[in-house]
Amino acid sequence: MSVNTDRYQTAAARYFEAWNATEPEALGEAVAEAWAPEGGYTDPLADVSGHAQITAVIAAAHEQFPGFVFRPLGAVDGHHDTARFGWELVNEADGSAPVAGFDVVTLSEDGRILRVLGFLDRVPAGA
C-alpha cells in the first residue's frame, strides 16, 4: 500500500469516527482530529465551515437518526490531495440503511480534511 493510499484511508477513518461520535466531548475531539480548523462540509442540506458548525451538523444528524451509524461502502480512492468514498447510514437495530451517499474530500498537508463535498444517493421521503 502506498503512502498516499494510507493517507486517504486514515482521513476516511477519522471522518467516520467523527460522524459516529455521539457524546459531545468525543464528537468535538473527533471533528478536530478529522478536519483542519478552517475545514468545511457541504452537501445538499448543509454548507458549513469550522469545527463548531461541522460538529453541529453531525449532532443534528444523530438527533434525526438516533441509533444509526455511518459505515463505508466500498473502497476509499484518491489522488493528489483528493479522496472519495461511499457511505451508508445504518440502523443498528435492524440493519436497514435508508440513507446512502458519496463524499469527495480535499486534504490538507497534515492529512486533515479541508473540504467535504457530499452527495446523497438515497434519502427517505420526508427526511
Side-chain angles (χ1 to χ4, degrees), residues 36-59:
E38 70 278 19
Y41 177 85
T42 302
D43 71 13
L45 306 173
D47 185 11
V48 299
S49 61
H51 291 169
Q53 290 182 358
I54 293 165
T55 298
V57 165
I58 293 172

Side-chain angles (χ1 to χ4, degrees), residues 7-92:
R7 184 174 184 231
Y8 308 137
Q9 295 285 347
T10 298
R14 289 179 181 160
Y15 179 82
F16 285 107
E17 286 175 25
W19 276 97
N20 287 323
T22 56
E23 297 300 319
E25 185 175 331
L27 174 55
E29 290 173 6
V31 167
E33 182 77 17
W35 270 270
E38 70 278 19
Y41 177 85
T42 302
D43 71 13
L45 306 173
D47 185 11
V48 299
S49 61
H51 291 169
Q53 290 182 358
I54 293 165
T55 298
V57 165
I58 293 172
H62 286 289
E63 286 178 21
Q64 185 174 4
F65 294 97
F68 284 73
V69 295
F70 286 87
R71 295 209 178 124
L73 275 179
V76 177
D77 184 23
H79 61 81
H80 296 87
D81 290 329
T82 305
R84 64 180 181 164
F85 49 86
W87 54 266
E88 62 184 351
L89 185 60
V90 179
N91 182 325
E92 289 188 295

